[in-house]
Amino acid sequence: MNTSQQATLYTTLLSIMHVAMVNALVQGGTNVCGGTGFETYPVSYAQRYTTYCGGFIPCTLYRTAYRIEYRLASGVLRCCDGWEEDNGQCIRPVCDPPCQNGGTCVAPNDCNCPAEYEGQICDSDINECSGSHGGCDSICTNTIGSFYCSCPSGYTLNGDGRSCDAVCDPPCQNGGTCVAPNDCNCPAEYEGQICDSDINECSGSHGGCDSICTNTIGSFYCSCPSGYTLNGDGRSCDDKDECLYNNGGCQGSCFNNMGSFTCNCGSGYHLADDNLQCLDAGAEKSDQQPRQL
């Protein structure tokens, strides 16, 4: 195949390819319109070229070549206004001007906007702080395409990014809760600005104890004097009957008293100095005294 034939074949292929692309649209297809438009067609012309005649002498010859030209024609298939061709189909909508800020063109001049923007082409910022205050507990600040929450002085932003927690500095002690800037709500056993002072429960009402009240850090307890035992309520005292166990240690008879007991010996005997043992009456006498335990 000589040079002239190669050129002719090349231009002819270009023309066929172009016509095939134009004819890819189907009459009656979705968003396909017909009307007056430009179409392409091949035009032949004499193309001059230089070669060698007789092997040595340069000479000028002519060959037939083709070029693509355009002409106005009716019945040309094209995508309807607002649509572009994509792989032989008019399925790509056109938004002019184009959608902004990540908006998507879903129909001719119809943009689907992200949540932070509005407007025909998504070029208007939405103020998230209006209406519901952005869900912020306190301060809502609008930004382009977003917003953020913040808190007034004395408060700190919580982990949820919306609610505020009061700040107590120094922090509340002993289980106290910070309810306002530097304001601690203390449990019943403590007081003070940061709940660091123990309350003496034994002052005033004596802690509700019948007898002995002992204050401790953060609490208290009741107890009873000798000869008494603490009741099940943890506050009142009952007399202890010492004679019930081992006869109170008496060698003779044991008599229970409120808070104490007394040992007594039979006729001809008297109590020893320990108020427990009984001695023969002929031995050295000792005054009978109640035995306190």
Side-chain angles (χ1 to χ4, degrees), residues 21 24-26 30-32 78-80 82-94 105:
M21 287 189 291
L25 299 179
V26 178
T30 302
N31 302 319
V32 174
R78 60 179 179 82
C79 290
C80 299
W83 297 91
E84 286 182 340
E85 183 181 346
D86 185 2
N87 196 26
Q89 293 181 312
C90 299
I91 57 175
R92 183 187 300 156
V94 176
C105 187

Side-chain angles (χ1 to χ4, degrees), residues 35-41 69-76 78:
T36 303
F38 287 97
E39 67 176 0
T40 61
Y41 66 99
E69 293 191 2
Y70 296 87
R71 64 189 175 193
L72 192 63
S74 60
V76 176
R78 60 179 179 82

